[in-house]
Amino acid sequence: MAWCAHHLRRLSDHAVALLTCGGAVRWLVCAGTLFVSGCDGVQSTLSPAGREAERIADLFWWMTVGTVVVWLGVIGLTLYAVRARSEARNERRDGLLIIGGGVVVPTVTLTVLLVYGLAMLPPLVAPAPAGSLKIAVSGEQWWWRVRYQPPGGEAITLANEIRLPVGEPVQFRLDSPDVIHSFWIPSLGGKMDMIPGRVTYLALHPTKTGVFRGACAEYCGTSHALMNFPVVVQEKEEFARWLAQQAEPAQPPADSLTARGQELFLADGCSACHTVRGTPANGVIGPDLTHVGSRLSLAAGTLPNEPDNFRRWVAHTTDVKPGATMPAFHMLPHEDLRALAAYLKGLK
Ligand code: CUA
């Protein structure tokens, strides 16, 4: 939401600048700025941070150039047809123009663009080289189950956040237990459907570090628009440290408030759906919460990771995410909610 508000504000700033500009040149400069400023950001196919996204952005720009050339040709011919004096016309030349402009130019332009686009497909769907980091992602209603399979290591189950090492290819294995979702990190590459009863694959190769945003790109139910995830691309060593830390069990509660929170977590039934490794909580219906306090967002990219938001999520779940299968625990006393929020936030 913050991201959208930020872009809307910027867009409206540019729109105001556009309206107050005088003269055709300044108008064009302003329009160009408005157009290009819409291309950056954490979720833009036109601001690529991965090899696959670079190819897709190239295709977009070549398609745009092709479109502009065809459009200018059509407008030029229209102006010629309207303005040319009838006695200046010559049947033979008109015939050549119709064949040339109406058949040859579109056929050549579209064939070139088609061949260019089709040639791009094999590298975009090719698997990552053997030995690459493998990540299995399952689309749930409405969150992401993420399982890292480091080469030669044990699988680590996480949720709702993906971290990747820069400059390394990654192989994603995608599926869904019930409805169709689509896994998409626009800054890194194209989207891939997650289909119940089928497994699909996607290889990505991030080239820039940074925090990006992934989203579900296929309508999957009430909270489809609230099913996102931060994607953090890090230096290789930093990523290795992060993954090793995520593989560890949860730290024991640090103080009496978080200890009370853990007691409530186990007593109130949270552990039937959620796992916190290192504790008796081993449910697998909902997201793994072993290190939930270290994630950048809550509820699959819906809320910033803050203690108040943990409380809000636990007490008003379906207000935050309509249709969520987790029941709202609004009946819990304020002090209990505070202890639960402190415990969850403390799971770093
Ligand atoms: Cu999942 Cu839309």
Side-chain angles (χ1 to χ4, degrees), residues 95-177:
L96 282 176
L97 265 180
I98 288 169
I99 299 291
V103 179
V104 178
V105 173
T107 307
V108 170
T109 314
L110 292 179
T111 306
V112 169
L113 288 176
L114 180 70
V115 170
Y116 175 63
L118 287 180
M120 203 170 274
L121 276 178
L124 283 181
V125 295
S132 304
L133 173 66
K134 289 191 172 75
I135 306 176
V137 183
S138 180
E140 308 280 336
Q141 294 187 49
W142 287 275
W143 57 280
W144 308 87
R145 194 187 297 274
V146 179
R147 197 165 343 102
Y148 278 75
Q149 183 67 68
E154 261 187 46
I156 307 159
T157 301
L158 308 171
N160 296 331
E161 182 168 302
I162 288 175
R163 298 203 180 204
L164 303 171
V166 70
E168 299 278 323
V170 182
Q171 180 69 59
F172 285 97
R173 178 195 191 276
L174 308 170
D175 65 6
S176 164

Side-chain angles (χ1 to χ4, degrees), residues 264-275 281 283 329 340:
L264 289 162
F265 187 87
L266 297 172
D268 286 341
C270 311
S271 54
C273 292
H274 297 283
T275 290
F329 285 79
L340 268 172

Side-chain angles (χ1 to χ4, degrees), residues 53-323:
E54 280 161 20
R55 289 201 174 103
I56 293 168
D58 283 350
L59 177 66
F60 172 83
W61 290 117
W62 279 112
M63 287 281 184
T64 305
V65 169
T67 309
V68 170
V69 167
V70 171
W71 183 78
L72 287 176
V74 170
I75 295 297
L77 287 174
T78 309
L79 289 177
Y80 169 76
V82 171
R83 297 195 161 206
R85 281 176 290 124
S86 52
E87 59 270 26
R89 288 198 174 134
N90 159 328
E91 260 188 37
R92 198 174 121 77
R93 198 180 50 196
D94 289 354
L96 282 176
L97 265 180
I98 288 169
I99 299 291
V103 179
V104 178
V105 173
T107 307
V108 170
T109 314
L110 292 179
T111 306
V112 169
L113 288 176
L114 180 70
V115 170
Y116 175 63
L118 287 180
M120 203 170 274
L121 276 178
L124 283 181
V125 295
S132 304
L133 173 66
K134 289 191 172 75
I135 306 176
V137 183
S138 180
E140 308 280 336
Q141 294 187 49
W142 287 275
W143 57 280
W144 308 87
R145 194 187 297 274
V146 179
R147 197 165 343 102
Y148 278 75
Q149 183 67 68
E154 261 187 46
I156 307 159
T157 301
L158 308 171
N160 296 331
E161 182 168 302
I162 288 175
R163 298 203 180 204
L164 303 171
V166 70
E168 299 278 323
V170 182
Q171 180 69 59
F172 285 97
R173 178 195 191 276
L174 308 170
D175 65 6
S176 164
D178 37 36
V179 297
I180 300 180
H181 306 269
S182 188
F183 179 84
W184 193 22
I185 310 171
S187 305
L188 300 189
K191 62 184 91 161
M192 182 58 77
D193 279 359
M194 311 170 101
I195 305 164
R198 244 180 97 166
V199 175
T200 50
Y201 295 91
L202 179 72
L204 294 176
H205 197 136
T207 51
K208 291 180 191 161
T209 55
V211 180
F212 308 100
R213 187 171 182 269
C216 180
E218 175 87 37
Y219 181 72
C220 53
T222 319
S223 277
H224 154 72
L226 298 173
M227 183 175 176
N228 308 298
F229 54 100
V231 180
V232 185
V233 179
Q234 302 175 298
E235 293 299 341
K236 217 176 151 182
E237 301 72 34
E238 204 183 338
F239 167 79
R241 272 200 301 278
W242 171 81
L243 192 60
Q245 186 265 334
Q246 296 285 313
E248 294 291 318
Q251 293 291 319
D255 54 37
S256 57
L257 183 67
T258 48
R260 169 82 184 130
Q262 186 182 45
E263 252 175 59
L264 289 162
F265 187 87
L266 297 172
D268 286 341
C270 311
S271 54
C273 292
H274 297 283
T275 290
V276 176
R277 280 177 264 131
T279 76
N282 59 2
V284 293
I285 295 169
D288 182 291
L289 299 179
T290 308
H291 298 287
V292 67
S294 72
R295 291 180 200 148
L296 295 178
S297 73
L298 295 185
T302 307
L303 300 169
N305 188 333
E306 288 160 9
D308 252 2
N309 284 334
F310 274 106
R311 202 158 53 197
R312 194 171 149 213
W313 172 246
V314 172
H316 306 286
T317 319
T318 45
D319 293 344
V320 175
K321 185 171 282 199

